Amino acid sequence: MRDLSIVLPIYNEAENIPHLYTELVPILEATGSSFEIIAVDDGSSDASFQKLKELSARDGRLRAVRFRRNFGQTAAFAAGFDRAGGDVVITMDADLQNDPADIPMLLAKMDEGYDVVSGWRQERWKEGWLAFFTRRIPSATANWLISRVTGVFLHDYGCALKAYRRDVIQEVRLYGDLHRFIPAIASYYGVRIAEVPVNYRPRRFGQSKYGIKRTVRVLLDLLTVRFLLSYSTRPIHIFGLLGLLSVLLGMGIGVYLTVIKFLYGAALAERPLLLFAILLVMVGVQLVTMGLLGEMVVRTYYESQNKPIYAVREESGDDGDVSPAKGAS
Ligand code: UDP
Ligand code: MG
């Protein structure tokens, strides 16, 4: 029988937490699997961690982690993944927008042999006409673009309700705002990905932590993901290629200018083309150098030990105490 780990990123969701807990637990129990809920409080300034602590004191299956400050949703996911012990790891928003009742459906899909199952939120226009312009159109464009660029075609990258096999998710190192791209990053390891339609509900308590600013960040992240997917282990292939082309073009122009100078006595001093040739050669040399530096960075990256991207303030243990006294049992 498989075990489940549910990872919940939480940033100022105090009002939602009790509702989510009471909705989630019966559904998880009904699956017949053993489970753990890992709630990561991402530096909330409201009573979120208090609520989590109360729940985890009553129910040992809930584990609460508290960040020192707001590190962002990606870091919260990463902390959850680091702690997950289940064979299947399920992520979802803690604001009740994802419907826990969809979890059995995700699991059924996993049982068909998929490594990653992503939710695809239906009927999101319920949120109103303003949301149509600020959320739906940007999100549809983003999903199309991300799918094209990464080659992993999903309708809804933004849906937090997803299920992963643990061995897959623990390969994925997350930085910045990259949690949205986990399926694409995981595709690097050759995984089977499926999509299932899921319910999506308007927020009842608290407010969204993101605005339209997110779109720009997603675009920049996409650039990173594309680069990492294609060239992360061989940066010299992209920088070196561009650099060599630049050097060759510059030298070609240089040869041409030399020929016309010595054969036809052309004056080169006031020809911008000469400067252009010099520029191309110099830029080319720099690009090749950058590629070589990239190669060194990549080696350090892959060979050094993994550093966490977060700092934990406290974490509910056996007695909810906070001291990191590991050896004192
Ligand atoms: N969240 C987080 N850290 C942040 C921002 C958000 O852990 O810095 C959590 C938040 O509590 C929620 C989930 O990430 O559980 C999704 O956030 P939100 O509902 O604000 O995003 P939206 O649904 O508006 O896209
Ligand atoms: Mg939300």
Side-chain angles (χ1 to χ4, degrees), residues 44-91:
S44 296
S45 52
D46 68 356
S48 291
F49 191 72
Q50 202 50 45
K51 291 260 159 67
L52 291 173
K53 235 169 141 175
E54 282 164 24
L55 289 173
S56 88
R58 277 197 280 127
D59 185 345
R61 295 169 300 186
L62 187 135
R63 200 166 156 192
V65 182
R66 184 186 198 179
F67 283 175
R68 289 191 174 276
R69 64 167 174 85
N70 181 235
F71 282 89
Q73 203 180 339
T74 299
F77 277 134
F81 297 155
D82 288 344
R83 286 160 180 76
D87 308 308
V88 174
V89 179
I90 296 170
T91 59

Side-chain angles (χ1 to χ4, degrees), residues 113-131:
Y114 290 98
D115 301 304
V116 177
V117 177
S118 175
W120 171 15
R121 292 168 293 177
Q122 308 289 308
E123 301 194 43
R124 278 207 283 158
W125 51 93
K126 272 183 194 157
E127 279 188 9
W129 66 270
L130 186 65

Side-chain angles (χ1 to χ4, degrees), residues 167-190:
D167 41 342
V168 165
I169 202 66
Q170 289 189 333
E171 293 288 339
V172 175
R173 306 313 310 174
L174 294 172
Y175 298 92
D177 273 348
L178 291 188
H179 64 269
R180 213 177 312 280
F181 298 96
I182 296 175
I185 301 172
S187 74
Y188 188 78
Y189 303 97

Side-chain angles (χ1 to χ4, degrees), residues 60-234:
R61 295 169 300 186
L62 187 135
R63 200 166 156 192
V65 182
R66 184 186 198 179
F67 283 175
R68 289 191 174 276
R69 64 167 174 85
N70 181 235
F71 282 89
Q73 203 180 339
T74 299
F77 277 134
F81 297 155
D82 288 344
R83 286 160 180 76
D87 308 308
V88 174
V89 179
I90 296 170
T91 59
M92 65 187 292
D93 282 346
D95 57 2
L96 300 170
Q97 292 200 265
N98 296 129
D99 190 346
D102 288 323
I103 290 177
M105 203 170 44
L106 263 74
L107 292 175
K109 203 77 191 167
M110 292 293 281
D111 289 342
E112 288 176 28
Y114 290 98
D115 301 304
V116 177
V117 177
S118 175
W120 171 15
R121 292 168 293 177
Q122 308 289 308
E123 301 194 43
R124 278 207 283 158
W125 51 93
K126 272 183 194 157
E127 279 188 9
W129 66 270
L130 186 65
F132 183 84
F133 288 103
T134 61
R135 316 216 92 180
R136 198 167 161 75
I137 289 184
S139 134
T141 316
N143 283 308
W144 174 82
L145 197 68
I146 297 171
S147 297
R148 287 304 313 261
V149 171
T150 62
V152 177
F153 286 83
L154 290 182
H155 291 94
D156 193 2
Y157 268 91
C159 181
L161 181 58
K162 292 187 164 80
Y164 309 90
R165 282 174 48 119
R166 190 193 43 191
D167 41 342
V168 165
I169 202 66
Q170 289 189 333
E171 293 288 339
V172 175
R173 306 313 310 174
L174 294 172
Y175 298 92
D177 273 348
L178 291 188
H179 64 269
R180 213 177 312 280
F181 298 96
I182 296 175
I185 301 172
S187 74
Y188 188 78
Y189 303 97
V191 296
R192 299 189 61 200
I193 301 174
E195 225 175 358
V196 293
V198 298
N199 194 8
Y200 191 65
R201 310 178 291 188
R203 235 183 204 277
R204 279 196 289 156
F205 310 107
Q207 43 189 298
S208 173
K209 277 79 197 176
Y210 301 103
I212 195 149
K213 228 172 29 183
R214 173 160 62 181
T215 319
V216 184
R217 299 203 188 138
V218 168
L219 285 178
L220 291 173
D221 282 340
L222 182 58
L223 200 67
T224 312
V225 170
R226 174 68 226 221
F227 180 77
L228 290 178
L229 280 178
S230 311
Y231 299 107
S232 65
T233 53
R234 49 202 165 100

